[in-house]
């Protein structure tokens, strides 16, 4: 029996579909090919086999050239390991040619000075490198022996080449108590941004033991940590796959007597690293879950999803242009209306700025519009709450 709260039991209605907003971020799994055998990901031989199904160069360029019809999205080249794709710099050039800002998400282990120079020359505006922890033992447990040192070397090569750099780190039980160390690592390396990704138990994450997941209370602690460090203004911090951070932003700003958060930062903190490498396109802050609203994900085979963690396809770019999918998808239209939210998310006074994680809701219930399962907040609007 469900324990979720409905604002108006039995009356959850579909709101009228709003017009499609501009696409702001497109994450593209350029390939499944990789050079690391991470324990939380596909086996290398499986990755290499699947990479045969990657979009061809021609199909990829056709998709890229269509993107200005959706707005001016940042195109994030991810993988797998995108540097395993031999035409990656040709594809980046195609994006630059149509005026799209681009970013590269890599594990960094294939980057030396020569590769770093090619990445800069290709016009990438920012490169992110993933670290599973602030030290070799933590990181290499997931990525393999020696991966940490190679990623550090790749990071430094890119920074020396003048690239704006970002550290991505997925937060779970194994490393959430090491956040201060990860923050110091980012500062020591001269990162412009530190993005904390809250683990979503879908896809490869479903194979991980549930004990690695943070509790709702631990999520709350972690997100308050992000807020506190952000106030220092030393680099741009962002909590990803944690839409209730935008509730915390507003609650903490009100409690602290600070200005309400703006699109590019909060509490007067700068939106980027003071070295000047920051880019407002890369640091924009809007609201919580943006799946299908300002963000979408294209798989290596061309399937279009609301985000990389919500496995509900709206079509394939090999069969229908991505701008048409973005405009006409019934799934995307459903996600664009906060009045479609179920459970306590539908009752919450912060629903418009949060939305809850739709992927986490889907993993937990099979319904991507259900309530966020990893949120400890109890809304004043919840049925039976005396503070209403």
């Amino acid at each position: 029996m469900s324990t979720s709260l409905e604002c108006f039991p039995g009356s959850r209605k579909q709101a009228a579909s709003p017009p499609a907003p501009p696409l702001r971020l497109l994450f593209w799994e350029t390939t499944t090919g990789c050079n690391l055998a991470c324990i939380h990901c596909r086996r290398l031989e499986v990755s290499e086999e699947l990479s045969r199904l990657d979009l061809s160069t021609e199909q990829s360029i056709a998709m890229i050239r269509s993107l200005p019809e959706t707005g001016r999205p940042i195109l994030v080249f991810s993988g797998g390991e995108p540097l395993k794709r031999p035409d990656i710099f040709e594809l980046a050039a195609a994006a630059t040619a149509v005026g799209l800002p681009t970013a590269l998400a890599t594990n960094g282990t294939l980057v030396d000075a020569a590769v770093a120079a090619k990445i800069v020359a290709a016009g990438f505006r920012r490169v992110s490198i993933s670290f599973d922890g602030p030290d070799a033992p933590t990181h290499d447990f997931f990525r393999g022996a020696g991966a940490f040192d190679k990623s550090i070397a790749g990071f430094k090569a890119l920074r020396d080449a003048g690239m704006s750099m970002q550290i991505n780190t997925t937060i779970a039980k194994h490393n959430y108590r090491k956040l201060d160390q990860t923050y110091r690592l980012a500062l020591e390396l001269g990162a412009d941004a530190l993005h904390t990704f809250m683990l979503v138990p879908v896809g490869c994450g479903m194979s991980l033991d549930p004990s690695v997941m943070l509790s709702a209370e631990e999520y709350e602690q972690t997100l308050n940590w992000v807020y506190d460090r952000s106030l220092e203004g030393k680099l741009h911090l962002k909590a990803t796959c944690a839409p209730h951070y935008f509730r915390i932003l507003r609650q903490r700003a009100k409690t602290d007597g600070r200005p309400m958060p703006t699109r590019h930062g909060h509490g007067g903190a700068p939106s980027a690293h003071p070295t000047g490498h920051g880019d407002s396109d890369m640091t924009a802050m809007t609201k919580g879950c943006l799946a299908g609203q300002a963000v979408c994900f294209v798989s290596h085979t061309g399937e279009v999803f609301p985000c990389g963690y919500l496995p509900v396809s709206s079509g394939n770019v090999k069969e229908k242009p991505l701008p048409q999918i973005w405009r006409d998808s019934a799934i995307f239209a459903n996600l664009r209306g906060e009045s479609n939210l179920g459970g306590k998310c539908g009752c919450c006074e912060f629903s418009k700025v949060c939305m809850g994680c739709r992927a986490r809701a889907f993993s937990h219930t099979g319904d991507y519009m259900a309530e966020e399962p990893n949120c400890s907040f109890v809304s004043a609007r919840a049925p039976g709450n005396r503070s209403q």
Side-chain angles (χ1 to χ4, degrees):
M1 179 177 179
S2 173
T3 58
S4 66
L5 301 170
E6 294 289 350
C7 296
F8 304 100
S11 64
R12 181 175 166 189
K13 297 178 180 179
Q14 295 295 308
S17 299
L23 177 61
R24 186 166 72 84
L25 269 171
L26 175 61
F27 295 93
W28 176 28
E29 182 188 35
T30 58
T31 181
T32 61
C34 194
N35 63 309
L36 296 181
C38 302
I39 64 171
H40 57 297
C41 198
R42 304 179 184 99
R43 297 193 310 274
L44 278 180
E45 61 269 24
V46 174
S47 297
E48 292 302 324
E49 183 66 26
L50 288 174
S51 69
R52 298 179 184 180
L53 303 176
D54 294 348
L55 292 177
S56 68
T57 300
E58 294 74 19
Q59 291 168 334
S60 300
I61 289 177
M63 179 189 73
I64 290 168
R65 287 175 175 169
S66 76
L67 293 179
E69 295 179 39
T70 67
R72 188 173 176 266
I74 299 169
L75 177 56
V76 181
F77 291 73
S78 68
E81 172 47 59
L83 293 176
K84 289 279 287 182
R85 184 161 176 146
D87 60 355
I88 192 69
F89 299 119
E90 180 182 353
L91 299 179
T96 300
V98 295
L100 298 179
T102 57
L104 179 69
T106 174
N107 62 44
T109 62
L110 298 178
V111 179
D112 55 17
V115 173
K118 290 181 180 179
I119 292 170
V120 171
F124 286 107
R125 300 262 287 271
R126 174 169 288 178
V127 176
S128 65
I129 293 182
S130 297
F131 288 93
D132 288 307
D135 49 51
T138 309
H139 181 79
D140 290 357
F141 175 76
F142 285 91
R143 305 271 173 166
F148 182 80
D149 289 341
K150 291 179 181 177
S151 294
I152 292 290
F155 191 105
K156 291 179 177 179
L158 284 158
R159 183 46 121 185
D160 289 346
M163 178 58 64
S164 173
M165 295 300 298
Q166 174 178 311
I167 287 179
N168 292 343
T169 185
T170 298
I171 305 300
K173 287 280 192 185
H174 72 284
N175 63 3
Y176 91 101
R177 295 186 185 280
K178 295 184 177 183
L179 283 168
D180 282 330
Q181 293 157 267
T182 301
Y183 179 64
R184 286 197 296 271
L185 175 66
L187 294 177
E188 289 167 3
L189 290 174
D192 296 307
L194 171 61
H195 288 198
T196 57
F197 286 71
M198 311 308 284
L199 183 64
V200 181
V202 295
C204 299
M206 293 181 69
S207 64
L208 296 176
D209 192 288
S211 65
V212 308
M213 299 291 296
L214 298 184
S215 67
E217 292 72 23
E218 289 165 338
Y219 267 91
E220 199 85 357
Q221 293 169 16
T222 299
L223 298 181
N224 275 280
W225 177 92
V226 173
Y227 178 87
D228 290 332
R229 295 289 79 75
S230 293
L231 294 180
E232 297 177 7
K234 295 179 179 178
L235 77 170
H236 180 256
L237 278 93
K238 182 180 178 182
T240 302
C241 298
H244 31 308
Y245 179 63
F246 285 77
R247 165 188 47 90
I248 289 172
L249 273 176
R250 283 154 179 80
Q251 291 175 315
R252 289 290 305 277
K254 183 177 181 180
T255 300
D256 297 347
R258 294 181 178 275
M260 284 293 111
T262 65
R263 185 173 182 266
H264 294 298
H266 64 83
S271 63
H273 194 269
T275 58
H277 289 284
D279 188 316
S280 62
D281 283 341
M282 302 294 170
T283 61
M285 296 178 67
T286 52
K287 60 186 290 186
C289 186
L290 294 171
Q293 301 182 59
V295 169
C296 75
F297 175 87
V298 177
S299 79
H300 74 110
T301 62
E303 290 292 314
V304 181
F305 301 95
C307 80
Y309 300 104
L310 182 50
V312 184
S313 176
S314 288
N316 193 296
V317 299
K318 292 184 289 189
E319 301 163 0
K320 185 184 296 185
L322 191 142
Q324 186 178 342
I325 294 172
W326 180 250
R327 288 192 303 266
D328 300 341
S329 165
I331 294 170
F332 288 0
N334 197 20
L335 288 162
R336 289 166 188 162
E338 65 271 2
S339 60
N340 297 334
L341 293 169
K344 70 178 185 179
C345 287
C347 305
C348 186
E349 60 265 39
F350 293 101
S351 61
K352 290 184 179 181
V353 297
C354 174
M355 290 289 291
C357 177
R358 299 299 94 219
R360 217 171 270 123
F362 181 79
S363 173
H364 193 69
T365 68
D367 177 4
Y368 60 81
M369 298 306 292
E371 68 181 50
E372 156 75 65
N374 282 91
C375 178
S376 61
F377 179 66
V378 178
S379 171
R381 298 177 183 175
N385 192 320
R386 295 180 179 178
S387 62
Q388 292 184 84

